[in-house]
Amino acid sequence: TPTSDYEHYTVTKDGVRKENNGAPPPIATPEPSLTPEEFYNQKVDYYDLNDYRGLADGLAQGDVVLFLMPLRNAEHVLPMAFYNLMNLTYDHSLIDIAFLVSDCSPDDRTLETVFEYSVALQNGTLVEKLKQEELERQSSQVKGSHDLYKLYMDQAYMESVKKAYDTAEAHHEGYRKPFRSVSIFKKDFGQVIGQGFSDRHAVKVQGIRRKLMGKARNWLTSAALKPYHSWVYWRDGDIEMCPGNVIEQLMKHDYDVIVPNVWRPLPTFLGNEQPYDLNSWLESEAALELAKTLDEDDVIVEGYAEYATYRAHLAYIRDARASPDELIELDGVGGVSILARAQIFRQGVHFPAFTFLNHAETEAFGKMAKQMGYRVAGLPHYTIWHIYEPSEDDLREIAKMERTKRRKKTS
């Protein structure tokens, strides 16, 4: 039996089953009583892909969505990620979930935690499990510098987060409903870049990191996409606040690729909030001229002084008072939250794990989709919120402010 470099698990309400990864299925032999036509009719499934094009009113039409989430050293954000999964208002019985766990540290428990949460998700006990775990954390946790930043966040935002998770079950009737299926894949891609904020966002690692992410996304798509999927929705695990109807809201605009705006909260001394995902943008003449000066394999990354592109970013167009349905066409897209028609993957659009037009991964995905004639858009005023991850500079400033506060108390 050939060995495989990945593991595949299927989750049911009763537990996790490991699949026969990489091994060919046993050769079926027709029963003597069956004609060849009867035998093949039993063994072969037929799909007319015209029936799975992805409709703007996909929920009403019964379109099946493939929900994909890549995870790496993500144990600490999984409670939040699973709460947000349950909060999806798109009919859970029309959503197939596939997780990819890759390149985790030896002591990380992302895979084991995904196993536990997924089984509880499917048998309806996850709410109680998460609440019990939170109570245990609160009773055992020693307050320290790791959570000091919460004292310096906008308290109205923190209260909205607390309300969203404490009362999430009241958001919609199908909150506890099991999903159509849950699959978990484990495969490593050689990612050695750290998961700290500074590690992941340093300009020198961006090209390498994004090409590896492109490989991971392409692999998960090929492993999980089935003929009956009409839409594919990518979601990062570290989203803190997101409307439950995000899939329907993106879908109704009838675009081949569409993304929301992504911001993150900040401590009050840094201005309360900030655009987070700068990878969704409209192309500019300056960026096209810049590309002409670069080597073929160089990757342009947004938000860094080394690459002055002067592009219009979806994030900076946001107006919290404007209509969330306003839409603009894009060239590059960020990967935090992407809805795409499944048919574009079948036609060859993918996340380049190489330099494509001086871009890689999701930004190159947007460019490739447009090159192949598909429509790509973003919603500048429809916002989802990424978690705040304190940088080393932020932590130093918070510690300094705490020392000042304590000195004043004792003086």
Side-chain angles (χ1 to χ4, degrees):
T1 301
T3 59
S4 174
D5 65 345
Y6 72 96
E7 298 169 12
H8 176 203
Y9 303 88
T10 299
V11 177
T12 70
K13 64 183 180 63
D14 299 315
V16 179
R17 180 180 71 249
K18 188 172 183 179
E19 303 296 345
N20 191 24
N21 306 322
I27 298 174
T29 305
E31 296 179 23
S33 60
L34 296 177
T35 66
E37 182 178 2
E38 290 171 332
F39 172 73
Y40 286 115
N41 283 340
Q42 284 186 2
K43 301 297 181 182
V44 178
D45 294 322
Y46 296 90
Y47 295 93
D48 182 349
L49 294 181
N50 290 315
D51 296 335
Y52 306 98
R53 289 183 172 179
L55 302 171
D57 59 343
L59 179 57
Q61 300 301 322
D63 281 1
V64 178
V65 175
L66 175 61
F67 182 108
L68 300 177
M69 181 176 284
L71 298 167
R72 179 180 176 228
N73 288 349
E75 182 183 357
H76 64 294
V77 299
L78 288 177
M80 178 174 63
F82 274 81
Y83 269 124
N84 283 322
L85 268 175
M86 290 186 287
N87 199 40
L88 290 172
T89 58
Y90 198 91
D91 188 343
H92 292 186
S93 66
L94 295 173
I95 300 177
D96 288 321
I97 300 173
F99 297 104
L100 172 61
V101 179
S102 60
D103 296 295
C104 292
S105 303
D107 58 346
D108 179 76
R109 293 193 72 259
T110 296
L111 183 63
E112 294 81 359
T113 306
V114 172
F115 286 163
E116 295 169 11
Y117 287 1
S118 295
V119 173
L121 179 71
Q122 292 301 81
N123 65 30
T125 62
L126 183 57
V127 174
E128 289 75 20
K129 181 176 181 62
L130 291 175
K131 288 182 177 178
Q132 180 60 36
E133 289 184 357
E134 178 61 23
L135 288 173
E136 292 172 359
R137 275 194 297 271
Q138 290 176 357
S139 63
S140 64
Q141 194 173 63
V142 177
K143 298 295 182 183
S145 59
H146 65 282
D147 55 12
L148 277 178
Y149 76 89
K150 295 179 181 178
L151 301 175
Y152 294 88
M153 302 294 286
D154 177 69
Q155 291 308 300
Y157 177 82
M158 297 302 293
E159 191 59 33
S160 68
V161 172
K162 185 175 185 298
K163 181 179 178 182
Y165 290 97
D166 286 351
T167 62
E169 196 170 4
H171 292 181
H172 69 100
E173 292 181 358
Y175 190 77
R176 288 176 178 259
K177 187 175 182 179
F179 286 81
R180 189 174 186 272
S181 72
V182 179
S183 296
I184 302 165
F185 296 91
K186 183 182 183 302
K187 178 177 169 62
D188 292 333
F189 296 88
Q191 176 75 273
V192 295
I193 297 163
Q195 278 294 84
F197 182 88
S198 300
D199 296 321
R200 292 186 291 114
H201 294 275
V203 64
K204 65 183 179 181
V205 304
Q206 288 303 306
I208 299 169
R209 177 176 176 268
R210 292 184 184 184
K211 289 175 183 179
L212 285 171
M213 285 291 295
K215 286 180 67 174
R217 288 185 188 273
N218 292 333
W219 189 90
L220 182 56
T221 305
S222 65
L225 185 64
K226 300 293 186 287
Y228 47 76
H229 290 136
S230 296
W231 295 92
V232 178
Y233 180 55
W234 284 91
R235 166 73 74 81
D236 282 358
D238 46 9
I239 289 300
E240 186 166 59
M241 296 281 282
C242 180
N245 64 352
V246 59
I247 294 177
E248 301 97 300
Q249 291 300 305
L250 296 176
M251 190 181 287
K252 73 179 185 182
H253 294 278
D254 204 23
Y255 266 69
D256 301 304
V257 179
I258 188 166
V259 297
N261 208 334
V262 185
W263 278 47
R264 68 168 180 160
L266 288 178
T268 52
F269 66 85
L270 291 176
N272 287 2
E273 59 186 27
Q274 177 187 54
Y276 179 80
D277 192 345
L278 300 183
N279 296 335
S280 297
W281 39 258
L282 292 78
E283 190 56 280
S284 69
E285 286 299 321
L288 293 174
E289 289 301 315
L290 171 64
K292 293 177 184 178
T293 70
L294 301 175
D295 291 338
E296 182 180 354
D297 199 45
D298 287 343
V299 175
I300 297 173
V301 289
E302 289 298 309
Y304 294 87
E306 292 87 342
Y307 297 101
T309 63
Y310 301 102
R311 288 166 170 156
H313 296 89
L314 184 72
Y316 288 111
I317 302 173
R318 174 178 179 255
D319 181 345
R321 300 162 299 179
S323 169
D325 289 331
E326 186 177 326
L327 176 146
I328 61 173
E329 299 215 346
L330 297 175
D331 293 287
V333 296
V336 175
S337 172
I338 304 174
L339 182 71
R341 281 192 165 90
Q343 69 172 357
I344 77 170
F345 296 101
R346 299 187 183 109
Q347 295 292 334
V349 181
H350 62 280
F351 300 93
F354 52 90
T355 306
F356 176 79
L357 300 178
N358 289 109
H359 292 88
E361 203 217 347
T362 63
E363 291 168 289
F365 169 76
K367 282 220 153 190
M368 182 179 288
K370 293 206 63 169
Q371 289 276 318
M372 293 178 64
Y374 294 108
R375 299 193 305 156
V376 180
L379 304 176
H381 317 307
Y382 185 89
T383 308
I384 68 177
W385 294 84
H386 192 275
I387 60 170
Y388 165 63
E389 303 167 283
S391 69
E392 292 176 5
D393 287 342
D394 294 350
L395 291 173
R396 280 194 288 269
E397 181 63 23
I398 290 169
K400 179 181 175 182
M401 294 169 70
E402 276 294 297
R403 287 194 296 271
T404 301
K405 185 193 303 182
R406 288 168 185 171
R407 279 197 297 266
K408 288 181 178 178
K409 284 183 178 180
T410 57
S411 62

